[in-house]
């Protein structure tokens, strides 16, 4: 009986350590499940983001990533033409609800809302006193429930964003 209790205690400890090191970068990228890679394209721009099996993002686009104790990204930097642009994030219910960008000494907040399937519905920001809203519509999903195509309207121009998702088996 003592051996059974010891084995259970060791397993519980292992799963607790796994839970503490789990990252939420997949949710950060609007996906769920054992995602290995997301390849996206919008307006001819290609982006590939790889993930470790514990959900940590492997991307050259972001650096200086800081996580909270629960594995949620709190801040990072993005390289914009040789300049580091610091970013901060606000989370609610497992979703990023705001991103704060620091550009040329000014902070710009981008707010996000989500639809009933958990995909982004809108992105809103204030561009120098002018509110700009980007709706996301016409979603198509893969067999695992992650979006693979959506349309967005930005400054009167409609664009389609597509992505291919590879999963760990």
């Amino acid at each position: 009986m003592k051996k059974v209790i010891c084995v259970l205690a060791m397993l519980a400890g292992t799963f607790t350590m796994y839970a503490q090191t789990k990252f939420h970068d997949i949710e950060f990228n609007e996906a769920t499940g054992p995602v290995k890679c997301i390849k996206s394209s919008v307006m001819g721009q290609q982006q590939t983001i790889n993930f470790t099996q514990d959900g940590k993002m492997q991307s050259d686009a972001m650096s200086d990533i800081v996580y909270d104790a629960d594995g949620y990204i709190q801040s990072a930097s993005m390289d914009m033409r040789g300049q580091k642009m610091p970013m901060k994030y606000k989370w609610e219910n497992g979703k990023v609800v705001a991103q704060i960008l620091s550009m040329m000494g000014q902070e710009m907040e981008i707010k996000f809302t989500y639809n009933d399937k958990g995909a982004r519905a809108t992105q809103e920001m204030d561009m120098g006193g002018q509110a700009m809203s980007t709706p996301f519509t016409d979603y198509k999903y893969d067999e695992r429930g992650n979006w693979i195509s959506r349309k967005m309207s930005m400054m009167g121009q409609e664009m389609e964003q597509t992505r291919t998702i590879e999963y760990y088996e």
Side-chain angles (χ1 to χ4, degrees):
M1 186 64 169
K2 283 184 181 180
K3 283 185 179 181
V4 171
I5 292 172
C6 286
V7 168
L8 289 173
M10 285 179 13
L11 286 173
T14 302
F15 288 120
T16 301
M17 287 174 53
Y18 177 77
Q20 290 173 346
T21 60
K22 171 88 171 107
F23 297 95
H24 296 279
D25 295 0
I26 294 169
E27 293 88 343
F28 178 79
N29 286 280
E30 298 178 76
T32 60
V35 174
K36 184 177 188 178
C37 177
I38 297 176
K39 295 178 183 177
S40 64
S41 175
V42 64
M43 293 183 61
Q45 297 293 323
Q46 307 288 324
Q47 181 183 28
T48 299
I49 302 170
N50 295 302
F51 299 90
T52 61
Q53 285 190 317
D54 63 354
K56 189 172 185 180
M57 181 172 43
Q58 305 290 303
S59 173
D60 293 335
M62 292 175 71
S63 61
D64 308 322
I65 299 173
V66 175
Y67 294 92
D68 69 8
D70 295 320
Y72 290 95
I73 294 176
Q74 298 301 298
S75 63
S77 293
M78 181 178 267
D79 184 38
M80 295 291 287
R81 298 183 177 154
Q83 299 279 336
K84 275 194 175 183
M85 180 172 44
M87 301 174 289
K88 295 182 265 182
Y89 301 93
K90 293 179 186 176
W91 291 79
E92 285 180 17
N93 302 318
K95 299 280 185 199
V96 176
V97 294
Q99 177 182 29
I100 298 99
L101 309 172
S102 294
M103 297 175 12
M104 298 181 284
Q106 300 290 319
E107 284 195 344
M108 178 174 62
E109 185 172 19
I110 303 169
K111 295 179 181 179
F112 307 105
T113 62
Y114 295 86
N115 65 23
D116 59 344
K117 289 192 173 204
R120 240 176 232 159
T122 62
Q123 171 180 304
E124 297 176 354
M125 67 180 106
D126 184 341
M127 297 287 289
Q130 182 175 349
M132 188 168 101
S133 180
T134 304
F136 297 95
T137 60
D138 297 334
Y139 277 92
K140 292 182 177 87
Y141 295 88
D142 68 9
E143 66 281 351
R144 298 197 186 197
N146 288 313
W147 71 265
I148 53 172
S149 173
R150 69 182 178 187
K151 290 184 180 172
M152 57 189 193
S153 180
M154 186 180 292
M155 297 189 306
Q157 183 174 354
E158 192 167 286
M159 299 167 258
E160 183 177 16
Q161 182 177 11
T162 59
R163 62 187 196 172
T164 304
I165 301 175
E166 295 175 31
Y167 296 92
Y168 287 103
E169 294 305 319

